[in-house]
Amino acid sequence: MKIVKVLIIDDDRDLCENLGKILGMDGYRTIFAHDGAQALDMMPAEQPDVVILDIKMPGMDGMEFLKKIKEYSGKVAVIILTAFPSVESAVDAVRDKIVFDYLRKPFALRQIQDTVARAAASLGLVSCPEKSLNARIGENIRRQRNVKSLNSREVALLAGLSPSLLSQVESGKSAASLKTLFRIARALKVEMGELVRDL
């Protein structure tokens, strides 16, 4: 599984550090730059997936960085931060394909966490290790079900589970309890280890 890399560009070092800690707990790898020029220099080597970009910074500001980042060949989603009441420039930037969204400072931590998760998902990246784990367990169940030539209704019936619960587990949208995994494994006539293989 690829760890999503987030580049935080802000001249406020405390904000960078605090965001880095919060996003790090969510499973992201964070790196920092304190102006646009430093960030541009980092882009080729670091290859971030998501960029959190403050608009107003000394030196190269966020808007100038946005113009230059178009030359970067990697796939990246940019989240703009702005503390200023007028967000017209941010709104205009969102119309640009590279900008995923913008947030006004001050923002709630949950807001930035959700926005980063959506940005990573828009690139086809799973950012949360738990979600990745759930998805892989679901894939293993589906693979075993297909090997046994059973449809999901049949497995649900054999396991004594509702079809909707099995569907949620197979799609990775819900975590399965050990009891649920045991029942699914018994219904599929496989060892439970087969359902958690390659995790």
Side-chain angles (χ1 to χ4, degrees):
M1 177 185 80
K2 180 184 192 303
I3 294 177
V4 177
K5 191 183 292 187
V6 180
L7 171 59
I8 303 168
I9 310 169
D10 199 306
D11 58 324
D12 182 340
R13 292 173 189 269
D14 289 336
L15 176 78
C16 287
E17 189 175 312
N18 290 330
L19 276 180
K21 286 178 185 173
I22 297 294
L23 295 174
M25 288 188 288
D26 286 346
Y28 300 100
R29 179 167 174 254
T30 56
I31 50 177
F32 315 113
H34 302 296
D35 65 51
Q38 181 187 13
L40 275 179
D41 289 343
M42 294 171 71
M43 293 292 287
E46 292 293 345
Q47 298 184 351
D49 303 299
V50 177
V51 172
I52 299 174
L53 174 66
D54 187 19
I55 291 291
K56 298 290 182 188
M57 294 179 291
M60 182 188 293
D61 69 4
M63 296 311 289
E64 189 175 341
F65 174 83
L66 276 176
K67 290 175 191 165
K68 302 232 182 225
I69 196 176
K70 290 179 184 177
E71 299 165 17
Y72 173 67
S73 60
K75 198 172 184 184
V76 64
V78 178
I79 300 166
I80 293 176
L81 303 179
T82 181
F84 296 90
S86 171
V87 291
E88 290 168 9
S89 58
V91 171
D92 288 342
V94 170
R95 292 187 187 120
D96 196 339
K97 291 176 185 167
I98 202 163
V99 177
F100 178 76
D101 205 349
Y102 76 92
L103 298 174
R104 291 178 74 172
K105 291 181 183 178
F107 48 81
L109 290 178
R110 179 85 274 170
Q111 190 179 14
I112 190 79
Q113 289 171 296
D114 290 345
T115 305
V116 170
R118 286 187 301 107
S122 77
L123 298 172
L125 302 171
V126 176
S127 55
C128 177
E130 182 182 335
K131 288 180 183 175
S132 176
L133 180 67
N134 292 344
R136 284 185 278 174
I137 289 171
E139 287 170 17
N140 287 343
I141 292 169
R142 199 167 33 260
R143 183 173 49 250
Q144 288 297 325
R145 185 171 56 75
N146 290 335
V147 165
K148 304 287 183 182
S149 299
L150 295 168
N151 65 41
S152 59
R153 277 199 174 288
E154 291 168 324
V155 173
L157 182 65
L158 291 169
L161 302 171
S162 72
S164 63
L165 174 60
L166 182 61
S167 174
Q168 291 287 312
V169 171
E170 277 196 10
S171 67
K173 292 179 182 172
S174 290
S177 68
L178 286 175
K179 182 178 178 181
T180 299
L181 284 177
F182 176 77
R183 291 167 89 176
I184 294 169
R186 191 174 60 197
L188 292 168
K189 297 180 181 174
V190 297
E191 294 290 323
M192 199 160 97
E194 289 297 312
L195 303 184
V196 293
R197 200 166 89 193
D198 302 326
L199 300 181

